Amino acid sequence: MEDISKQIIANLTEYYKNFKGSSEVDFIKTENLYFTKFSDKSGFSIALNKNDNITNFIKTVNEIEQFKIKFNHSVYWILSEGQTKKNIENLRSKRFMPVKKWTNMHAELKEQIKIPKIKNLNIKKISSNADLKIWLKTHQETEKYSNFNLKTISALSNKKYISFYLGKIKDIPVATSLSLEHNSYVGLYLITVKKEFRKLGIGSAITLHPMADAQKTGINNFVLHSSKAGEKLYLKIGFKNYDKMYIFTQNSDS
Amino acid sequence: MNTKMVYSKLQQIISDILEIDTGKINAETRNEDMAEWDSLKHVQIIDAVEREFNIKFDLLEIVDFESVADIAEAIENSTNEI
């Protein structure tokens, strides 16, 4: 299971590396942290081992502080649920507050993936700039905090290990997803379905489509991180909960 | 403290932090429906609420607050425990 934890982190890091700062990304590994520095003045730190007790909490926090000062970056700290629970009082005393919670999920699917047939739904892997623009617009309309732009995603669409998927119902774009292959694992990201088209099975289809494509190339392992709302859908299509991660920010107001 | 007072104070805190009119905030207001209410503002709101009501939320439940009603309920649960 430890391998899966590492794969989830590796895939997530690869994802952010590509989406946050494009080519200007630095990775810094210290005794306690894996720090990713993006060119957009943000960064995140991941405590290395999901079972790690973070033996010296203060030292670890100081490392984050140094990154913030040195690079003038805002920093998010990602901790597993176990690490979070073990450090509740420490986190409180240092004014860390969680801003998001993800459930890390993993699926190993060896049987041929079947994509549910939904009337009038057409999902395709994007290959043209025109479709990429539609993908972005659909994503932006669905995701409140989307900060992607055409320049970023255009550059990424040329990468062999990243694929964009767009779902349409009768020419109306309704869903997006993206797959990223890293170390023989495929991570699934940016799975969105427009509000008015939810609960029709489109979420399953837009998730399974890139998985089925990956399976054709011999990949059977898939990872994603889900919000509370999406968990049920992913469990239904064969994912299992691996662990939870909390994303913290340090509140400096007093 | 009664429910009405909790909501009144909560409305004021949220309105101050998000810089919007109190009239735009009610029990059903959900953070995902408001562009102004991003994750960093969420943290500021929670921090201000804790100071105003002199309470400490369970750190792990903060991230599950999705609406004004969720926060109000947690405030009432916390103040009832005192």
Side-chain angles (χ1 to χ4, degrees):
Chain A
M1 289 298 270
E2 187 54 33
D3 282 348
I4 293 167
S5 180
K6 282 181 184 164
Q7 285 301 336
I8 289 169
I9 299 286
N11 209 291
L12 184 68
T13 305
E14 193 68 23
Y15 166 77
Y16 274 108
K17 173 184 138 185
N18 279 289
F19 277 87
K20 292 288 284 185
S22 204
S23 58
E24 292 178 63
V25 181
D26 285 333
F27 300 100
I28 302 151
K29 195 173 173 181
T30 74
E31 187 187 338
N32 297 298
L33 291 169
Y34 193 78
F35 183 74
T36 310
K37 179 170 90 71
F38 303 113
S39 57
D40 71 344
K41 296 283 177 198
S42 68
F44 67 73
S45 294
I46 297 176
L48 278 176
N49 180 339
K50 97 179 194 72
N51 295 317
D52 188 353
N53 291 331
I54 315 177
T55 46
N56 191 334
F57 183 88
I58 300 300
K59 190 179 164 196
T60 312
V61 170
N62 286 344
E63 279 187 353
I64 295 174
E65 191 60 30
Q66 281 166 25
F67 289 134
K68 278 163 74 174
I69 295 166
K70 189 173 174 186
F71 303 120
N72 187 24
H73 273 39
S74 60
V75 174
Y76 290 92
W77 193 19
I78 303 179
L79 293 178
S80 72
E81 187 174 33
Q83 288 168 331
T84 302
K85 284 183 174 169
K86 282 174 189 162
N87 287 284
I88 287 281
E89 290 311 315
N90 282 328
L91 288 158
R92 266 280 178 205
S93 70
K94 287 287 177 185
R95 301 176 62 78
F96 278 97
M97 283 225 193
V99 291
K100 267 185 191 166
K101 178 172 73 176
W102 291 330
T103 300
N104 287 324
M105 303 183 89
H106 167 247
E108 186 176 10
L109 302 177
K110 288 183 176 165
E111 285 179 24
Q112 191 182 354
I113 293 168
K114 288 177 187 156
I115 304 164
K117 295 256 184 273
I118 294 159
K119 200 179 171 189
N120 297 321
L121 178 68
N122 175 30
I123 296 173
K124 68 172 182 178
K125 191 169 159 180
I126 286 176
S127 56
S128 73
N129 274 342
D131 276 344
L132 202 59
K133 278 183 190 170
I134 298 169
W135 184 98
L136 180 63
K137 192 167 180 281
T138 310
H139 171 71
Q140 286 170 335
E141 284 170 0
T142 317
E143 275 292 300
K144 181 182 167 188
Y145 299 121
S146 172
N147 54 4
F148 300 117
N149 58 48
L150 194 59
K151 192 181 163 194
T152 318
I153 65 166
S154 295
L156 298 169
S157 67
N158 295 325
K159 300 202 172 179
K160 278 184 185 171
Y161 56 92
I162 294 175
S163 302
F164 292 80
Y165 290 83
L166 181 67
K168 289 181 179 178
I169 285 198
K170 291 184 182 173
D171 287 340
I172 303 168
V174 296
T176 66
S177 65
L178 178 152
S179 67
L180 184 154
E181 188 192 330
H182 186 64
N183 290 346
S184 299
Y185 275 67
V186 161
L188 299 147
Y189 300 96
L190 305 174
I191 300 165
T192 58
V193 179
K194 279 190 180 172
K195 255 186 183 174
E196 59 272 36
F197 292 94
R198 288 178 190 167
K199 298 189 176 167
L200 300 170
I202 298 171
S204 296
I206 198 79
T207 310
L208 286 166
H209 203 105
M211 292 168 69
D213 280 356
Q215 204 179 46
K216 285 173 202 159
T217 69
I219 290 175
N220 297 312
N221 279 287
F222 305 94
V223 289
L224 56 80
H225 52 265
S226 173
S227 65
K228 196 174 156 189
E231 222 175 299
K232 213 169 152 184
L233 182 156
Y234 302 127
L235 287 170
K236 206 172 158 186
I237 62 175
F239 279 86
K240 289 178 182 158
N241 288 348
Y242 179 65
D243 63 1
K244 285 190 167 52
M245 281 175 129
Y246 286 83
I247 293 90
F248 286 88
T249 185
Q250 201 172 16
N251 189 8
S252 51
D253 290 351
S254 57
Chain B
M1 191 178 295
N2 63 34
T3 304
K4 201 177 167 185
M5 279 174 71
V6 168
Y7 271 103
S8 171
K9 283 189 175 188
L10 196 47
Q11 268 182 321
Q12 195 56 57
I13 289 168
I14 295 169
S15 145
D16 288 347
I17 290 171
L18 301 186
E19 296 174 353
I20 56 169
D21 194 89
T22 50
K24 287 186 178 174
I25 304 155
N26 58 48
E28 283 76 41
T29 304
R30 297 173 66 82
N31 50 12
E32 69 168 20
D33 295 331
M34 299 188 76
E36 301 89 345
W37 195 333
D38 61 19
S39 55
L40 292 177
K41 295 283 184 199
H42 188 71
V43 166
Q44 287 174 24
I45 289 167
I46 297 304
D47 192 51
V49 167
E50 288 188 337
R51 281 187 278 121
E52 174 66 34
F53 292 91
N54 196 24
I55 54 173
K56 288 280 178 204
F57 292 122
D58 174 346
L59 204 59
L60 300 186
E61 76 175 349
I62 291 168
V63 81
D64 290 327
F65 295 157
E66 291 174 348
S67 66
V68 173
D70 288 346
I71 302 174
E73 190 186 333
I75 294 168
E76 290 189 300
N77 289 340
S78 299
T79 47
N80 289 340
E81 284 166 13
I82 295 168

